[in-house]
Amino acid sequence: MKKITFNISPIPAVLFAIISVQSGAAIAKTLFPALGAAATASLRIGISALLLWLVYRPNLLKITSPQWKVVIPYGLSLGAMNLIFYLAIERIPIGLAVTLEFIGPLVVAVLGSKRILDYLWVLLAAAGIVLIAPWSDNGVDLLGVLFALLAGALWAAYIVLGGKISKIMKGGEAVAVGMLFATLLIVPFGILGNGFQNMTPNFLYLGIALALLSSAIPFTLEMQALGQLPARTFSILMSLEPAAASVCGLLFLQEYLTPNEIIAVICVVIASVGSTMTSKLKKRDSLVKKEI
């Protein structure tokens, strides 16, 4: 079996990853009521780890000590992020959870900014996130909010660690090994939650599709992109997630966008395009300096 690689430019890779995750979310929604949050996360990450291991076949004996020091926390943050996010959407609306989770990537974007123009894209993305959030909804579960914020912090860690591991380890192998540790962290929670008692062959098939769309494909694409994009650019591009979720809601669930949500989509699209242009300009400037 040949190892699969994705030869896609970093910007399209991130966009394809977003589409893949949102498609997987539609499948997860059908599994969630029967299996519960922890078992659904375990099924998703566990199958993803198995598929990635079969494809990339990483040799654990060849992994160096510096690589272990990054890939282990990378995998643990990946697993914890998914589990805690599922626990969040078990208690609060998914739109609010995604919005709160995005505080993590935005913090990475702000801390990584060095030019005033970078802050403009961050502010636009932040404005879109604020507009799309259902702040007027009362009686929001506080524990769900805390889970979403914690998932955001773990997402920020995933971005930083993913950028580091992509510099010292092949992308596919890094994701495969990372998913192994994510599985070791999550599966015990799935077993303790007794969600696997309701497992059927149909749920298993849906779990395989969920693993491919929500984990194996997007995480591999993101790892490739993280190796070529600045962390702040990656973070702003990922801010398309709330907009993508809204569009998927319209297409698959007939959830129509409000005027505020339409403005939010415009804000995050402009921020994404702007960050992409800034990234290209920086690359062009660096090439000019090298030629000089």
Side-chain angles (χ1 to χ4, degrees):
M1 182 186 295
K2 289 185 177 181
K3 295 184 179 182
I4 298 176
T5 57
F6 295 104
N7 295 317
I8 304 176
S9 299
I11 302 300
V14 176
L15 297 178
F16 283 134
I18 292 172
I19 294 172
S20 183
V21 167
Q22 294 306 322
S23 300
I27 296 176
K29 195 169 184 178
T30 65
L31 291 171
F32 208 77
L35 301 182
T40 301
S42 299
L43 188 65
R44 167 185 167 180
I45 297 298
I47 295 176
S48 298
L50 178 61
L51 292 175
L52 288 168
W53 199 269
L54 291 174
V55 170
Y56 293 104
R57 304 187 302 278
N59 188 339
L60 299 181
L61 297 178
K62 291 185 177 180
I63 298 178
T64 64
S65 178
Q67 290 173 331
W68 279 121
K69 290 179 181 179
V70 182
V71 75
I72 291 177
Y74 163 77
L76 294 177
S77 66
L78 181 60
M81 175 183 68
N82 282 275
L83 174 60
I84 293 173
F85 178 73
Y86 274 28
L87 291 175
I89 62 175
E90 191 175 36
R91 293 169 171 81
I92 61 176
I94 190 169
L96 177 58
V98 171
T99 302
L100 293 171
E101 188 186 27
F102 261 85
I103 293 176
L106 277 174
V107 168
V108 174
V110 171
L111 293 178
S113 296
K114 296 180 181 179
R115 297 169 59 178
I116 296 177
L117 191 58
D118 293 326
Y119 285 98
L120 172 61
W121 311 134
V122 174
L123 289 174
L124 278 173
I129 291 172
V130 170
L131 285 169
I132 209 171
W135 301 113
S136 60
D137 188 15
N138 296 322
V140 177
D141 188 292
L142 179 59
L143 186 57
V145 170
L146 293 176
F147 278 142
L149 291 172
L150 180 56
L154 290 165
W155 194 353
Y158 160 73
I159 292 172
V160 174
L161 292 170
K164 289 182 178 180
I165 194 64
S166 66
K167 299 292 193 303
I168 60 175
M169 196 171 179
K170 292 182 179 179
E173 293 181 356
V175 176
V177 176
M179 290 293 269
L180 171 63
F181 287 96
T183 302
L184 294 175
L185 175 67
I186 288 182
V187 168
F189 291 96
I191 295 173
L192 292 174
N194 296 322
F196 291 121
Q197 293 180 354
N198 300 323
M199 183 65 64
T200 65
N202 285 337
F203 285 150
L204 182 60
Y205 299 146
L206 289 173
I208 294 173
L210 174 62
L212 286 171
L213 292 171
S214 295
S215 294
I217 293 174
F219 289 156
T220 302
L221 289 172
E222 288 172 11
M223 177 60 68
Q224 175 182 319
L226 280 166
Q228 303 175 58
L229 289 175
R232 61 182 177 280
T233 303
F234 177 85
S235 299
I236 297 173
L237 284 172
M238 291 303 292
S239 67
L240 280 169
E241 287 279 9
S246 298
V247 172
C248 287
L250 175 63
L251 294 177
F252 301 116
L253 304 174
Q254 289 74 53
E255 296 176 348
Y256 292 92
L257 298 174
T258 65
N260 278 354
E261 289 170 337
I262 293 174
I263 297 174
V265 171
I266 294 173
C267 286
V268 295
V269 167
I270 292 175
S272 298
V273 172
S275 65
T276 302
M277 293 175 61
T278 302
S279 178
K280 288 183 177 179
L281 286 174
K282 288 179 180 178
K283 288 182 179 179
R284 187 184 305 171
D285 290 342
S286 63
L287 290 174
V288 170
K289 288 180 180 178
K290 286 182 180 179
E291 291 177 357
I292 294 174

